[in-house]
Amino acid sequence: MMRQVRKIGSLTIELEPEPTAVLKATDLPKYFGGVTTLHLPPESVTALASAIQDKEFDTFFIYVDTFRVDTRIEARIWKVQGTKDGHNRRRNILIKAPEARNIIQLTLHLSDGNREKVFLKMLNYATKGLEFKLLTKF
């Protein structure tokens, strides 16, 4: 029997000038009420750093399995997909098992000019994890 995956939100993440995540849409606004940060643990940061090295893609869709801890959302990468030049067709870059239960879709747009800078910034967070300041719009 397959478990049901529930998408609880979509965020666009930025690493420059500082790590921020902007909430774009959500099915459950109360899930995000009072949340100030989104935290990726070290293993998720290194997985994402590895995925963005694929220069074939400029937009990455990162699906994270989530759970809330007080004012923080802990997010572990479940799947990363990539697209090029705004195409609809996505290709899987990374899939971790088991399948996630509650997911948030993170979107990261990269250009050739900032890919290396973002990669190096991620490496700085590889040992302690990466925390994004959550900017909500509801």
Side-chain angles (χ1 to χ4, degrees):
M1 183 171 98
M2 290 190 59
R3 294 188 310 179
Q4 182 176 352
V5 176
R6 181 174 65 158
K7 183 177 174 183
I8 58 175
S10 296
L11 297 118
T12 299
I13 59 174
E14 295 288 333
L15 283 130
E16 290 294 320
E18 63 182 49
T20 58
V22 179
L23 186 62
K24 294 289 188 184
T26 182
D27 293 331
L28 303 171
K30 64 184 177 192
Y31 188 86
F32 293 97
V35 173
T36 57
T37 56
L38 175 81
H39 181 259
L40 287 176
E43 62 274 6
S44 290
V45 175
T46 54
L48 184 55
S50 174
I52 69 169
Q53 286 300 289
D54 192 335
K55 293 185 171 56
E56 180 181 346
F57 305 108
D58 58 10
T59 302
F60 297 87
F61 299 96
I62 305 114
Y63 297 92
V64 294
D65 193 11
T66 64
F67 61 94
R68 185 173 172 164
V69 178
D70 197 26
T71 60
R72 182 180 77 227
I73 293 178
E74 286 291 322
R76 292 190 178 94
I77 288 182
W78 167 54
K79 177 168 50 174
V80 179
Q81 295 178 324
T83 64
K84 179 75 172 171
D85 299 327
H87 289 276
N88 291 349
R89 190 173 192 165
R90 297 180 185 183
R91 193 176 96 207
N92 290 335
I93 301 170
L94 169 76
I95 298 176
K96 292 190 168 204
E99 190 169 278
R101 204 183 238 339
N102 293 316
I103 63 166
I104 296 175
Q105 176 187 318
L106 308 175
T107 305
L108 176 63
H109 301 284
L110 294 177
S111 66
D112 289 336
N114 75 349
R115 183 182 306 269
E116 194 65 29
K117 187 185 264 188
V118 167
F119 175 73
L120 292 173
K121 192 156 197 169
M122 281 187 178
L123 290 182
N124 289 333
Y125 292 101
T127 57
K128 62 181 178 190
L130 181 55
E131 205 159 90
F132 293 92
K133 181 179 178 186
L134 185 63
L135 306 174
T136 57
K137 301 242 175 173
F138 57 81

